[in-house]
Amino acid sequence: MWKFFHQLASPPHFYRLAAVLSPWLAAPGIALIAYGVYAGLFLAPMDYQQGDAFRIIYVHVPSAYLSMMAYMIMAVSGGIGLIWRIKLSHAVAAAAAPLGAAFTFLALATGSIWGRPMWGTWWEWGDPRLTSELILLFLYFGYMALRAAIDDTAKADKASAVLALVGVVNVVIVHYSVEWWSSLHQGQTLMKKGGPAMDPAMLYPLLAMILGFTLLFGSLLLRRVRTEVLFRERRTRWVREMILSPEGS
Amino acid sequence: MTDAHKEQPSIFSGLAATARRDLLLAWKRPGDVLNPLFFFAMVCTLFPLAVGPSAEQLEFSGPGVLWVAALLATLLSLNSLFGSDFEDGSLDQLLVSPQPLPVLALGKTAAHWLTSGLPLVLVSPILAITYRMPMSVVGVMMLTLTLGTITLSLLGSIGAALTVGLHRGTALLSLLILPLAMPVLLLGANTVSLAAGNDVYTTGIWALGAYAIASLSLAPYATAAALRISNE
């Protein structure tokens, strides 16, 4: 049991393991997304209130959930790297940040496209989720900017881990303060919480999309970690040997 | 060993000495204290020029403008928190000192608040009056600014510690701190707006107080960790 974890933290071992795992996550992920897109766009019935516009949730909900999940992965693995000095977990944090930012942007973009026909505006400051998501995007930008500004990788890892951990505490505060703030603005057309129970024909594609996006995210993350590990370990013997060996990677 | 242990000054004298030193430095270089204040006043002047001098508009936008200006002025003053100490090597002395680093960082942050936050709070009524803010609201605004700038100084000290010694530090510091500072701005400005509209505003005060206490107890540790990382 412990041997597995110790091996996991070793860059060459993880590099090979990730290469094996990545396609196994990607294949079912893409299959689920393909099903979700088809079922969501063609099979699911129209919403009695929102018409076809509701179908954007099949991209919006998974992106929004992954935007937060990626931040947690980034902060937790940064914290693990800081406490137990595991270099690999810093590589995971570094690899997760741009993915998280991308999903945050996707969640914001789809939310704003949905908001145009529903609320009659691209952007609604009164909605707490939009505002918190935007602040999350800025947190990602700050994190990546700090990483980019420090030349020494080890230092950049630790400094950005501290920032990510401070950010986690702050995300909670942001959430509640924004909620309090938006409750001041009376009469906003807030999205109904869940609404009536979803029709299974609408729900199953959504679940498929959420699972599919998560698997695809996992696969992409592993691929990015591989690149990150390869770059960070570029001066080590195992990388040189692997590159010089006839099979390549 | 035991003698050395006895002679070691208490934690509080370490905190006080760090704060006193920074206050003395600020006293000798009044420009560092005054420049953010002038900046604060000028940003507050820019808004009426840009949006027009109508009394209604000024009353409406006053709390928000004052709070944004205070936030920006605090950001402006954060660079000097560890920057000059880093350059002249006294930061290394803090790091090797036997005193706990979070306490020393708290001392420096306290001095920073006394030389940036407190003057902002004291100057803000003058600017608030030009925005036609009633006297009863001015008190609420000063209270929110007091609590808010304490939080901003503490959060800012984390950012300043993370970016100390970096070439592109200034812009980066703003990028790091602004998302963290948004809840403070949101709570502060809206509490003042509520007070101006004769609404119940105490929720915001409590929330700002809670945020200030939370950052007072947690931020020095993050600042200390960041200082150690930046000076490895």
Side-chain angles (χ1 to χ4, degrees):
Chain A
M1 176 73 177
W2 284 111
K3 186 165 172 275
F4 172 75
F5 281 111
H6 283 301
Q7 275 188 341
L8 200 62
S10 126
H13 183 80
F14 187 87
Y15 183 81
R16 279 187 293 270
L17 186 70
V20 177
L21 276 180
S22 178
W24 282 102
L25 291 178
I30 289 168
L32 279 168
I33 290 173
Y35 159 75
V37 166
Y38 177 72
L41 291 186
F42 299 105
L43 301 182
M46 242 197 255
D47 188 80
Y48 76 102
Q49 259 185 333
Q50 305 186 359
D52 274 330
F54 94 94
R55 292 179 201 276
I56 205 159
I57 63 159
Y58 292 118
V59 180
H60 179 72
V61 172
S63 317
Y65 141 74
L66 278 174
S67 70
M68 281 172 255
M69 166 104 141
Y71 196 90
M72 286 316 289
I73 290 177
M74 192 174 93
V76 168
S77 50
I80 291 174
L82 210 56
I83 295 165
W84 287 289
R85 293 164 196 269
I86 299 171
K87 278 195 255 168
L88 183 72
S89 66
H90 282 307
V92 173
L99 282 176
F103 279 115
T104 314
F105 179 77
L106 200 60
L108 280 170
T110 50
S112 127
I113 292 168
W114 177 85
R116 181 66 195 148
M118 287 302 118
W119 294 336
T121 169
W122 294 106
W123 188 264
E124 177 54 64
W125 283 109
D127 185 58
R129 268 161 297 187
L130 275 179
T131 315
S132 337
E133 193 77 2
L134 184 66
I135 296 176
L136 185 66
L137 185 66
F138 291 150
L139 280 173
Y140 274 119
F141 285 159
Y143 180 89
M144 290 192 284
L146 182 64
R147 254 188 192 289
I150 307 176
D151 296 325
D152 179 22
T153 316
K155 206 192 239 186
D157 283 342
K158 290 181 200 159
S160 55
V162 170
L163 182 70
L165 289 172
V166 173
V168 167
V169 180
N170 211 261
V171 162
V172 180
I173 297 166
V174 165
H175 177 80
Y176 284 107
S177 63
V178 168
E179 209 150 75
W180 172 78
W181 167 63
S182 60
S183 70
L184 300 175
H185 298 239
Q186 298 279 310
Q188 297 290 356
T189 45
L190 290 181
M191 208 165 79
K192 280 192 297 181
K193 263 195 184 147
M198 237 180 168
D199 191 276
M202 288 178 178
L203 184 64
Y204 290 144
L206 181 60
L207 293 178
M209 286 300 263
I210 291 176
L211 192 58
F213 263 60
T214 312
L215 290 172
L216 195 67
F217 168 79
S219 167
L220 288 173
L221 182 65
L222 287 177
R223 278 177 160 273
R224 287 191 55 88
V225 176
R226 285 190 86 209
T227 324
E228 192 72 36
V229 165
L230 207 55
F231 181 72
R232 284 163 179 242
E233 304 272 309
R234 62 192 181 278
R235 289 187 230 289
T236 59
R237 213 174 64 199
W238 72 267
V239 171
R240 205 175 318 140
E241 275 169 5
M242 187 187 66
I243 287 173
L244 293 177
S245 71
E247 306 102 64
S249 64
Chain B
M1 185 62 208
T2 43
D3 283 340
H5 187 76
K6 259 181 207 161
E7 275 168 29
Q8 191 173 313
S10 75
I11 287 176
F12 291 104
S13 64
L15 185 134
T18 325
R20 193 164 53 235
R21 172 178 168 277
D22 275 26
L23 289 175
L24 190 66
L25 279 174
W27 182 255
K28 299 282 181 195
R29 280 181 308 200
D32 287 4
V33 178
L34 291 175
N35 287 348
L37 275 184
F38 291 141
F39 179 79
F40 176 60
M42 274 182 231
V43 172
C44 290
T45 319
L46 288 179
F47 273 82
L49 296 179
V51 300
S54 87
E56 205 174 275
Q57 198 146 24
L58 287 183
E59 261 175 55
F60 183 71
S61 61
V65 171
L66 281 161
W67 253 98
V68 171
L71 173 61
L72 293 177
T74 309
L75 267 184
L76 197 68
S77 64
L78 275 172
N79 256 330
S80 57
L81 185 52
F82 298 115
S84 61
D85 283 0
F86 176 76
E87 277 157 21
D88 66 16
S90 40
L91 192 57
D92 294 323
Q93 296 302 316
L94 287 185
L95 292 171
V96 297
S97 134
Q99 294 278 343
L101 189 57
V103 173
L104 299 181
L106 183 62
K108 285 193 74 69
T109 316
H112 175 262
W113 182 75
L114 287 172
T115 54
S116 76
L118 189 60
L120 280 181
V121 174
L122 296 177
V123 168
S124 62
I126 303 170
L127 291 155
I129 288 165
T130 66
Y131 277 86
R132 294 163 196 257
M133 197 182 278
M135 279 324 262
S136 56
V137 183
V138 168
V140 177
M141 182 203 63
M142 287 177 75
L143 183 59
T144 61
L145 272 179
T146 310
L147 294 169
T149 46
I150 290 174
T151 314
L152 289 179
S153 280
L154 286 159
L155 288 176
S157 75
I158 304 175
L162 283 172
T163 54
V164 68
L166 293 180
H167 298 300
R168 288 160 286 180
T170 319
L172 184 63
L173 179 61
S174 318
L175 198 56
L176 299 186
I177 293 307
L178 279 177
L180 302 179
M182 276 175 199
V184 182
L185 174 76
L186 201 145
L187 290 166
N190 285 293
T191 301
V192 183
S193 294
L194 283 178
N198 286 323
D199 255 322
V200 184
Y201 58 84
T202 37
T203 322
I205 303 272
W206 291 118
L208 275 172
Y211 201 10
I213 290 168
S215 45
L216 194 61
S217 34
L218 295 174
Y221 292 96
T223 309
L227 278 176
R228 291 233 185 267
I229 291 164
S230 301
N231 288 279
E232 268 176 1

